Amino acid sequence: MVKIETRLFLRDSATVMFGVLFPVGLLLGLGAIPALRESSPETGGLRSIDIWAPTALVFGMVMIAVQHVPAVIATYRERGILRRLSTTPAHPRSVLLAQMIVAFASVVVSATLMIFLAWAVLDIAPPERPLEFVVALVVGYATLLGLGMISAAVARTSSRKAPPKNISATNCCS
């Protein structure tokens, strides 16, 4: 299941682009601005680019956990994939778990790529306490994924559809 979900994830070029590569590109693009590479006494000697690095990391996490995962789950539900899987030995739970594993792996790839390139290109120090960083990354991602799963549970469809034409604001509440 993980292999299949990975293939499906990689086929979605928008998610790969905005969830994995865009945060890195954003950080490198901001790092190209000379004013953001100068330290400031207001920030305790930190450069603005040092402050933007965690923001770019969270941006990628949000794109995956709050936008991609709920859309995929809603699409599976809308197309009846989860219902059909319940009649086979492959339980829908395994598909959802595989989806979460692939999404988390993409966040790890994005974070690793960002930390390495930020260090190599922009001279941003890697996390001083790697264990605490990993715990914060996992807890933060789990929180965002929880919000995404709530969104997936509430969403009826994967796309926004117009309301039926026979219902209007004036006659629906009369």
Side-chain angles (χ1 to χ4, degrees):
M1 288 290 192
V2 172
K3 185 177 177 181
I4 292 168
E5 288 298 326
T6 301
R7 281 190 198 149
L8 292 172
F9 178 85
L10 293 174
R11 285 182 187 167
D12 186 5
S13 60
T15 300
V16 172
M17 183 66 147
F18 286 104
V20 178
L21 301 176
F22 183 75
V24 176
L26 174 69
L27 188 64
L28 293 176
L30 289 172
I33 301 171
L36 295 179
R37 292 190 314 252
E38 296 174 6
S39 61
S40 171
E42 293 95 27
T43 59
L46 289 174
R47 304 174 301 169
S48 294
I49 196 67
D50 296 329
I51 297 168
W52 268 99
T55 304
L57 180 65
V58 170
F59 179 80
M61 291 169 52
V62 168
M63 291 300 291
I64 298 294
V66 180
Q67 182 178 355
H68 170 73
V69 172
V72 169
I73 293 172
T75 300
Y76 286 174
R77 186 176 56 240
E78 185 178 5
R79 292 182 179 170
I81 293 169
L82 297 176
R83 185 174 24 89
R84 279 184 252 146
L85 274 176
S86 65
T87 63
T88 69
H91 199 274
R93 182 179 356 168
S94 61
V95 173
L96 297 176
L97 182 61
Q99 181 59 230
M100 287 187 255
I101 289 169
V102 170
F104 181 68
S106 69
V107 167
V108 169
V109 167
S110 178
T112 304
L113 187 63
M114 184 178 302
I115 290 169
F116 176 74
L117 288 175
W119 169 73
V121 176
L122 301 173
D123 197 32
I124 297 175
E128 293 177 9
R129 298 184 211 141
L131 182 61
E132 286 91 349
F133 173 78
V134 169
V135 169
L137 182 80
V138 169
V139 170
Y141 180 72
T143 303
L144 290 170
L145 186 62
L147 293 173
M149 295 303 275
I150 290 170
S151 174
V154 172
R156 289 182 293 176
T157 63
S158 61
S159 62
R160 184 174 178 201
K161 295 182 179 177
K165 294 187 186 231
N166 60 356
I167 296 177
S168 68
T170 56
N171 69 6
C172 79
C173 302
S174 323

